[in-house]
Amino acid sequence: RGFQTIYEYFWWDQLWLPVNLTWADLEDKEGRVYAKASDLYITIPLALLFLVIRHFFELYVATPVARLLNVTEMVRLKAPPNPVLEKFYTSRKKHPIQSDIEVLSKMSSCTPRQVERWFRRRRNEDRPSLLKKFREASWRFTFYLIAFIAGMSVIVDKPWFYDLKEAWKGFPKQTMLQSQYWYYMIELGFYWSLLLSVASDVKRKDFKEQIIHHIATIILISFSWCANYIRAGTLVMAVHDSSDYFLESAKMFNYAGWKSTCNAIFIVFAAVFIITRLIILPFWIMHCTWIYPLDLYPAFFGYYFFNLVLVVLQFLHCFWAYLIIRMACKFLTGKGVEDERSDREESDLPDEEDEGMKNGPVSNGHPVMNNNHRKTD
């Protein structure tokens, strides 16, 4: 009984629909077909299907492409087995402070320098390989590019693509098109697959922000479907898909060592991202969702909820735009482009070279190679 009460309150008409409307008004009739919450159940099997497709894509498409582009791995020296240091690494810290190093040195019968070197190598072992990064970028590039092309084909011939007021004409009694159905289900299934695979994907410094983004996107797509905000929803999804494939392709060329191509694509990505996420989305799309509906009905909870999730996404866009602009400035000033979200590969010198650094950057008459100059993510 308690579950039934919660269910009824959750789907209370006055929460999600404009005044004087009920869910009964959105039942299929008179040739109109409306979106239904039950339609969303298919997105979970779709997410699992995406994970299967991704596995075979990375294995039989991305890996041969990586080989063709000569994506090679950096040679990493492994940390020698050491139970004391391994226990500290896995149970406490990956970056011990100086006092920890001194204690560990005594416990492991290693010099402080050897302890530092062991932790450097151990951290490098945990970092994702270049091939893994390339395959992940290839998969996302392929999906985002196809999704953007498909999304534009769904909305480019619709009147609300050119006149945003048309998105609310007759709302919420707007029939659902078959193309809109598949666009929604595939997009939502893909974001569910991203959320399910987040633990095994390459982790970056904005990991928490990525989780928030995926959850907010899933909530936004799901709610806009149930409340029949489909026209506005397709516009939001198309705006988000318009720049992502540029970023993923820039990463692919970066991992392949094509730095000039990577830098050129990155600049295009930065421009498209700023135009779509910081100009079109807030000043056109969000203006459309905040202002135009009020010409038709008084504000209600669903109206505020939809726009609040858009605001959350917009804050994330501002955060990422800050990082993108920082990288673009470094590139334009000749400092090179580096993903601000990445975890850096650490310098790892053989023992004799490491000792030789005490006397400067030359050891035995030869310059010491510092492989901290890495391919950026």
Side-chain angles (χ1 to χ4, degrees):
R1 178 59 186 172
F3 178 79
Q4 182 65 26
T5 302
I6 294 173
Y7 180 85
E8 291 174 358
Y9 273 109
F10 182 81
W11 291 108
W12 187 26
D13 308 275
Q14 295 182 34
L15 277 180
W16 307 112
L17 298 176
V19 64
N20 298 326
L21 282 171
T22 67
W23 292 113
D25 295 315
L26 297 183
E27 292 179 357
D28 297 349
K29 56 187 174 184
E30 300 176 357
R32 294 182 181 273
V33 178
Y34 295 106
K36 303 171 185 64
S38 58
D39 295 333
L40 301 179
Y41 290 137
I42 195 177
T43 61
I44 300 302
L46 272 177
L48 299 177
L49 178 61
F50 270 125
L51 293 177
V52 173
I53 294 173
R54 173 180 173 174
H55 172 75
F56 287 103
F57 176 89
E58 291 184 350
L59 194 62
Y60 295 109
V61 178
T63 300
V65 171
R67 194 178 299 118
L68 187 65
L69 294 177
N70 198 29
V71 176
T72 56
E73 292 292 348
M74 180 184 295
V75 177
R76 293 174 175 173
L77 299 176
K78 291 188 175 182
N82 191 309
V84 173
L85 301 183
E86 183 68 30
K87 183 178 180 180
F88 186 92
Y89 180 87
T90 55
S91 62
R92 294 187 61 185
K93 299 178 189 175
K94 294 184 178 182
H95 293 269
I97 60 177
Q98 189 59 40
S99 59
D100 294 327
I101 292 174
E102 292 173 359
V103 172
L104 289 170
S105 174
K106 295 175 182 177
M107 293 176 62
S108 62
S109 300
C110 298
T111 66
R113 185 177 295 276
Q114 288 173 331
V115 172
E116 290 175 353
R117 186 183 304 116
W118 188 95
F119 275 91
R120 279 201 307 272
R121 293 180 180 178
R122 186 66 181 83
R123 286 191 296 267
N124 282 338
E125 285 182 39
D126 281 352
R127 289 185 173 86
S129 67
L130 203 62
L131 179 59
K132 177 179 174 61
K133 292 179 180 180
F134 182 90
R135 295 197 300 189
E136 182 179 311
S138 300
W139 166 247
R140 296 194 185 200
F141 163 77
T142 303
F143 177 84
Y144 289 137
L145 180 59
I146 294 174
F148 176 67
I149 295 171
M152 292 304 295
S153 68
V154 168
I155 64 175
V156 74
D157 61 338
K158 306 300 186 296
W160 55 88
F161 181 73
Y162 304 95
D163 182 1
L164 294 178
K165 288 186 177 180
E166 290 287 331
W168 305 105
K169 188 176 181 179
F171 178 84
K173 296 183 178 181
Q174 298 170 336
T175 190
M176 180 261 296
L177 305 176
Q178 195 69 19
S179 58
Q180 292 173 329
Y181 171 85
W182 285 111
Y183 187 28
Y184 257 78
M185 297 305 108
I186 290 173
E187 284 275 352
L188 188 54
F190 179 74
Y191 278 101
W192 273 118
S193 74
L194 290 183
L195 195 60
L196 293 174
S197 64
V198 72
S200 58
D201 286 344
V202 175
K203 288 185 176 62
R204 295 182 173 86
K205 294 176 182 178
D206 64 344
F207 176 76
K208 292 180 181 178
E209 288 82 1
Q210 287 283 356
I211 294 292
I212 294 171
H213 175 269
H214 295 340
I215 293 175
T217 301
I218 289 170
I219 291 173
L220 183 67
I221 295 175
S222 300
F223 168 75
S224 65
W225 179 260
C226 295
N228 215 30
Y229 278 59
I230 296 177
R231 293 181 182 180
T234 53
L235 294 173
V236 172
M237 290 190 294
V239 166
H240 280 77
D241 287 336
S242 60
S243 61
D244 289 337
Y245 60 91
F246 283 115
L247 175 62
E248 300 303 331
S249 61
K251 289 181 182 179
M252 292 168 60
F253 284 113
N254 182 48
Y255 302 144
W258 295 28
K259 295 197 178 295
S260 297
T261 306
C262 164
N263 294 340
I265 295 176
F266 179 81
I267 293 301
V268 174
F269 158 72
V272 174
F273 184 95
I274 290 170
I275 292 170
T276 56
R277 308 286 182 96
L278 300 189
I279 299 176
I280 293 178
L281 183 63
F283 296 106
W284 270 268
I285 308 298
M286 291 179 67
H287 180 269
C288 165
T289 61
W290 274 106
I291 305 301
Y292 296 155
L294 298 180
D295 295 335
L296 304 174
Y297 50 78
F300 62 103
F301 176 79
Y303 161 85
Y304 289 117
F305 181 81
F306 179 78
N307 285 289
L308 179 62
V309 179
L310 277 179
V311 169
V312 171
L313 288 177
Q314 190 57 39
F315 275 118
L316 291 172
H317 297 156
C318 292
F319 167 74
W320 284 317
Y322 166 72
L323 299 181
I324 290 167
I325 292 171
R326 281 182 57 180
M327 287 187 280
C329 289
K330 288 182 179 179
F331 167 69
L332 294 174
T333 56
K335 296 180 180 179
V337 175
E338 179 174 323
D339 193 338
E340 297 285 348
R341 306 172 302 156
S342 298
D343 187 16
R344 300 185 178 204
E345 188 86 19
E346 296 179 75
S347 169
D348 187 19
L349 306 175
D351 294 355
E352 63 273 14
E353 291 180 345
D354 205 16
E355 293 296 331
M357 287 296 288
K358 293 178 181 178
N359 298 318
V362 176
S363 178
N364 297 326
H366 298 283
V368 175
M369 298 300 294
N370 185 342
N371 60 6
N372 193 39
H373 296 286
R374 63 181 185 86
K375 294 178 180 178
T376 56
D377 182 9

